[in-house]
Amino acid sequence: MPVFYGLEITSRLMLGTAQYPSPAILAEAFKRSKAGVATVSVRREAGHDRAGQDFWSLIQKLGVTVLPNTAGCHSVREAITTAQMARELFETDWIKLEVIGHADTLQPDPFALVEAAKNLNQEGFKVFPYCTDDLVVCEKLLTAGCRVLMPWGAPIGSGLGLNNPYALRSIRAHFPDVPLVVDAGLGLPSQAAQVMEMGYDAVLLNTAVAKAGDPAIMAEAFAKAVDAGALAHKADPMLPRDMAAPSTPILGKAFL
């Protein structure tokens, strides 16, 4: 199972907690999937708002590791302030760092992301940076002190799957000892399996489960796909080849 900042997680599936039809369905999705991590957005009113307190109580009952995030932040200062609030509210140094640079694609701002990551690492946070599938950005984030990388598969909520498998394979090959999580863009369990077949440590998703006709069943489907992909990677799968190869040996074949 994946180990993030010295903590072993019980599952390779990480789930978001937004957009579910009801708290009961959210809880059932986590139960059916056995997800090991729940990402939670920081709401500025959560400290005094009753609805926010009820939501936090629900998350605590899930019995999973909580990963607060800085979703919706568009600047370094905003992301750092939100992370500081998250540490106080959720009593954890873990933070999924998002610094959005483009309003339409929700693509992270690479420059602001690296700057915010450096500051938060210096403050003792354990940063999980949401980034694009760019090797240079990933290298800069590691230099800034991050010990986990979370490249996207595709834009948040798009369900497009893996827009650039080559880039994701390159990141895995360049950083063989760094825990890697594909975050965002997955729409189908088969896409999650593909991620794990590449040797990634986990996947993080939200919309594909929360917006499914039956979120609980979809969460379970993703969990099984993640396990299948991880098992396939462990088995050392055959590489694609350009020509056919007979599965039945020619030796011993009858000649007429």
Side-chain angles (χ1 to χ4, degrees):
M1 289 301 170
V3 177
F4 303 129
Y5 291 100
L7 179 64
E8 184 175 8
I9 304 303
T10 59
S11 169
R12 299 181 186 276
L13 178 64
M14 306 162 72
L15 283 181
T17 56
Q19 307 184 72
Y20 289 84
S22 72
I25 292 176
L26 184 157
E28 183 65 17
F30 271 84
K31 178 181 177 181
R32 294 278 291 268
S33 68
K34 296 182 175 64
V37 173
T39 59
V40 182
S41 298
V42 179
R43 304 297 182 186
R44 287 173 172 78
E45 70 276 14
H48 60 267
D49 181 76
R50 179 53 186 263
Q53 293 175 1
D54 289 345
F55 177 74
W56 176 223
S57 178
L58 170 64
I59 298 302
Q60 289 176 306
K61 292 177 181 177
L62 296 177
V64 299
T65 301
V66 175
L67 176 61
N69 65 43
T70 63
C73 292
H74 293 262
S75 70
V76 173
R77 174 45 52 193
E78 188 179 11
I80 291 175
T81 300
T82 302
Q84 292 167 340
M85 292 172 58
R87 179 157 61 181
E88 180 178 345
L89 287 169
F90 301 111
E91 299 180 344
T92 178
D93 290 330
W94 282 25
I95 191 72
K96 176 189 169 185
L97 179 61
E98 298 183 30
V99 187
I100 301 303
H102 194 279
D104 292 333
T105 64
L106 301 181
Q107 178 172 327
D109 180 332
F111 308 102
L113 182 66
V114 172
E115 183 180 347
K118 182 178 180 179
N119 279 275
L120 290 173
N121 279 306
Q122 290 174 345
E123 290 188 24
F125 282 90
K126 296 176 174 64
V127 181
F128 294 68
Y130 163 62
C131 59
T132 55
D133 49 15
D134 186 293
L135 276 175
V136 176
V137 173
C138 288
E139 184 67 54
K140 296 288 186 182
L141 288 167
L142 293 175
T143 301
C146 298
R147 291 166 55 190
V148 176
L149 294 172
M150 303 180 73
W152 70 357
I156 294 173
S158 66
L160 291 171
L162 306 183
N163 276 355
N164 195 341
Y166 169 80
L168 293 174
R169 290 192 187 96
S170 296
I171 292 172
R172 178 71 285 174
H174 278 76
F175 308 115
D177 300 321
V178 177
L180 299 179
V181 181
V182 165
D183 175 18
L186 301 183
L188 293 171
S190 57
Q191 296 161 355
Q194 185 181 0
V195 170
M196 303 309 298
E197 288 166 0
M198 292 180 183
Y200 273 68
D201 297 275
V203 299
L204 195 163
L205 55 122
N206 189 161
T207 308
V209 168
K211 290 298 186 180
D214 191 320
I217 291 178
M218 185 61 79
E220 183 178 356
F222 267 100
K224 291 181 177 180
V226 166
D227 287 344
L231 196 61
H233 176 72
K234 185 177 180 180
D236 189 17
M238 63 174 287
L239 298 175
R241 46 191 169 194
D242 294 330
M243 298 181 65
S247 57
T248 302
I250 296 178
L251 186 64
K253 179 180 177 181
F255 290 91
L256 302 177

